[in-house]
Amino acid sequence: MRKTDMPPRLNAKQVKDWLKPEAKSLTDALHNWLQSLGTSGTLKASLEALDPETLEQLAFKWPLLGSDKQLPPRGDWTTWLLLGGRGSGKTRAGAEWVRSMVCNGLAGRIALVGETYADAREVMVEGESGLLAIHPTHQRPEWTPSRRRLEWPNGAIGQVFSAEDPDGLRGPQFAAAWSDELGKWKRGDQTWNNLQFGLRLGDFPRQVVTTTPRPVPLLKQILKDERTALSHMKTRENADNLAPDFMQRIVASFEGTRLGRQELDGELIEDRADALWSRPMIERNRRKTAPDLARIVVAVDPPVTATATSDACGIIVAGACEEGHYHVLADVTVQGLSPERWARQVLGAFDRFEADCVVIETNQGGDMAERVLRAERATVPVRQVKAKRGKYVRAEPVAHLYELGRVNHVGSFAALEDEMCNFGLDGLPSGKSPDRLDALVWALFWLSQSHQPTPRARPL
């Protein structure tokens, strides 16, 4: 009998026996079975071969249904931190982890901590991905709102707490905890510390934190803890479970912006106090399209070497309009390419945007860069610029143009904007060269020096 020719109406034990005797669980058996399906069978027909009880078991088999990022990581972690975007599935992952701890007998008392009591109840307990919804009937806990308490059939108890009431966590003790939206907790430090003192039951108390990231000190402290395991979850990765209109209207609109990277991609984004640029400054001047431009340049910050660990070749395209505003059009920076290959990248951008010239910094290999470009195309117009001051000082006039609202980003350039907002008096925190930023500075410097807005008469 072929694996796709399943007998009619199988129960859980028959599925396991029919597939592979070595399958250790129904989950393993179903996984093997679904992988074995070929052109002679369909998933719909195969599922219809299962009886209702087996189908219900399949519907609640989270290791079979969840994505890799929604399943607990291996290792001896104490805190599992899920940084996720809106609708990325982090709430379901947190609830399923609590369910597995309870149903496997690993936790008899669990703390459920939300931003407020109302949030904890509406999201963690009664929400579509909350604890009541994810249990099959025979495992579902009983919820007593007046006591803020869940009680499972096996005797395990979950207590709901609010980050607005840190003292509520004084006294109780737990074997596990689930903290939701920690990035929004108003009294985060007190709540977190009291929770840690209460995690003292069982052989190995553990906790899961599900949150959209915000650059708050508590979240950064948890990230630095060597006992923290981190999972990153993006909204787009859960698109199959979200409304198509949401993906088209919201995700497409905000993707790549600071708000989108935080709320959709689950990235922890922060600005340096001594940085010349800030995220709000860039966001205020972001545009979807550029006007007609009087001049366009491709600026290049060439690397000295061409290895995988070399500095990147910063390549920025920018233009100026008659009104004296500047528009950043593209960041096509590359790394680890030979001079000939990054020269072709530059020329490709030059052609695509119909640029007027290529601007090259001469301090580090500028003459060589011009020779490489002319070897690929002898007629390309090249303008050399030479740095006489440090990177921070020469970037200040360009940052001032942003402050005046005279520089617009046409689209989103995450890597470039990260460099801009993390570049301070001592450079980047990583110690690397700000190659994209250097190219941006030279592009806007050249445009501001070579192009002056056309005076216009204004009627009185």
Side-chain angles (χ1 to χ4, degrees):
M1 180 186 296
R2 295 175 306 186
K3 287 190 182 297
T4 50
D5 297 333
M6 289 191 68
R9 310 312 295 172
L10 293 177
N11 61 32
K13 184 178 185 304
Q14 289 172 318
V15 169
K16 179 179 175 182
D17 293 343
W18 178 75
L19 282 167
K20 283 189 176 181
E22 66 271 21
K24 297 179 181 179
S25 66
L26 174 63
T27 296
D28 294 334
L30 287 169
H31 181 72
N32 294 336
W33 169 44
L34 295 177
Q35 283 192 328
S36 74
L37 294 175
T39 54
S40 58
T42 66
L43 178 59
K44 182 177 183 295
S46 301
L47 290 176
E48 288 174 349
L50 304 179
D51 63 24
E53 180 184 354
T54 303
L55 276 173
E56 183 183 33
Q57 291 187 49
L58 172 60
F60 289 96
K61 282 293 181 182
W62 184 240
L64 186 67
L65 302 174
S67 68
D68 290 342
K69 292 182 179 180
Q70 289 179 302
L71 301 178
R74 299 181 183 275
D76 295 331
W77 50 267
T78 299
T79 303
W80 177 24
L81 176 60
L82 288 91
L83 295 182
R86 306 279 189 94
S88 61
K90 59 184 183 296
T91 301
R92 178 69 184 269
E96 289 287 357
W97 179 79
V98 171
R99 176 189 162 206
S100 69
M101 294 291 284
V102 169
C103 296
N104 291 324
L106 299 175
R109 296 192 73 89
I110 305 98
L112 307 169
V113 189
E115 181 186 2
T116 65
Y117 284 117
D119 290 323
R121 173 176 176 169
E122 293 172 9
V123 176
M124 303 172 75
V125 178
E126 297 178 345
E128 292 184 4
S129 299
L131 288 164
L132 295 181
I134 66 165
H135 283 78
T137 305
H138 68 284
Q139 290 181 342
R140 187 167 297 145
E142 182 179 347
W143 168 234
T144 308
S146 61
R147 301 183 67 187
R148 299 176 181 140
R149 175 183 171 117
L150 283 168
E151 187 167 355
W152 278 265
N154 66 2
I157 293 172
Q159 288 180 260
V160 170
F161 299 90
S162 166
E164 293 184 334
D165 180 21
D167 288 339
L169 283 158
R170 290 183 180 274
Q173 54 186 355
F174 314 98
W178 173 20
S179 299
D180 188 51
E181 291 300 348
L182 178 141
K184 296 165 58 182
W185 289 5
K186 291 181 175 62
R187 304 178 68 183
D189 290 337
Q190 290 176 272
T191 304
W192 181 257
N193 291 337
N194 284 343
L195 176 60
Q196 303 316 297
F197 284 124
L199 280 172
R200 55 179 186 262
L201 292 181
D203 296 330
F204 192 15
R206 282 183 159 183
Q207 59 191 334
V208 62
V209 177
T210 54
T211 186
T212 302
R214 291 188 176 184
V216 296
L218 176 57
L219 194 52
K220 290 187 279 186
Q221 170 192 324
I222 295 170
L223 276 167
K224 290 179 182 178
D225 192 330
E226 61 182 12
R227 297 164 298 178
T228 296
L230 175 63
S231 294
H232 254 118
M233 304 170 66
K234 296 185 178 183
T235 300
R236 189 170 289 282
E237 294 169 342
N238 197 37
D240 290 343
N241 297 309
L242 302 174
D245 178 65
F246 174 79
M247 298 301 298
Q248 295 169 4
R249 180 171 51 88
I250 302 298
V251 175
S253 297
F254 290 94
E255 202 166 31
T257 66
R258 178 191 179 158
L259 185 62
R261 292 174 64 192
Q262 174 179 288
E263 301 295 326
L264 299 175
D265 294 342
E267 293 185 33
L268 186 64
I269 299 175
E270 57 183 325
D271 295 340
R272 286 183 60 166
D274 64 338
L276 291 171
W277 288 269
S278 68
R279 310 276 177 182
M281 182 193 301
I282 296 171
E283 292 297 339
R284 282 196 303 269
N285 302 315
R286 196 182 300 281
R287 301 289 183 271
K288 290 185 177 180
T289 59
D292 291 336
L293 299 174
R295 296 209 67 174
I296 298 176
V297 301
V298 180
V300 184
D301 180 44
V304 177
T305 58
T307 66
T309 58
S310 299
D311 292 339
C313 178
I315 308 171
I316 299 293
V317 184
C321 63
E322 291 293 352
E323 288 74 18
H325 283 70
Y326 307 99
H327 302 268
V328 180
L329 305 175
D331 173 8
V332 290
T333 298
V334 292
Q335 184 169 16
L337 299 186
S338 66
E340 293 76 15
R341 291 177 64 191
W342 62 247
R344 292 179 198 133
Q345 180 84 346
V346 171
L347 293 172
F350 180 87
D351 293 337
R352 180 155 56 99
F353 288 92
E354 299 180 349
D356 300 293
C357 66
V358 176
V359 177
I360 299 178
E361 180 186 354
T362 60
N363 291 57
Q364 292 192 17
D367 292 332
M368 177 275 293
E370 181 173 353
R371 287 196 298 272
V372 171
L373 282 170
R374 294 199 184 282
E376 295 292 324
R377 185 183 301 173
T379 59
V380 62
V382 175
R383 304 292 181 265
Q384 292 193 2
V385 288
K386 186 176 181 64
K388 297 179 180 179
R389 295 175 293 176
K391 295 178 185 291
Y392 190 93
V393 174
R394 67 175 181 261
E396 286 180 310
V398 173
H400 184 59
L401 291 175
Y402 277 82
E403 290 176 348
L404 295 175
R406 292 179 58 191
V407 183
N408 301 318
H409 283 200
V410 183
S412 301
F413 312 109
L416 169 63
E417 291 164 14
D418 283 347
E419 281 194 8
M420 295 168 67
C421 296
N422 284 302
F423 180 73
L425 287 165
D426 58 349
L428 293 175
S430 63
K432 295 182 178 180
S433 174
D435 306 296
R436 300 169 194 268
L437 174 58
D438 277 345
L440 171 76
V441 168
W442 288 124
L444 296 178
F445 168 79
W446 179 264
L447 287 170
S448 65
Q449 295 295 311
S450 63
H451 177 74
Q452 299 299 324
T454 302
R456 294 187 178 184
R458 185 176 62 182
L460 297 175

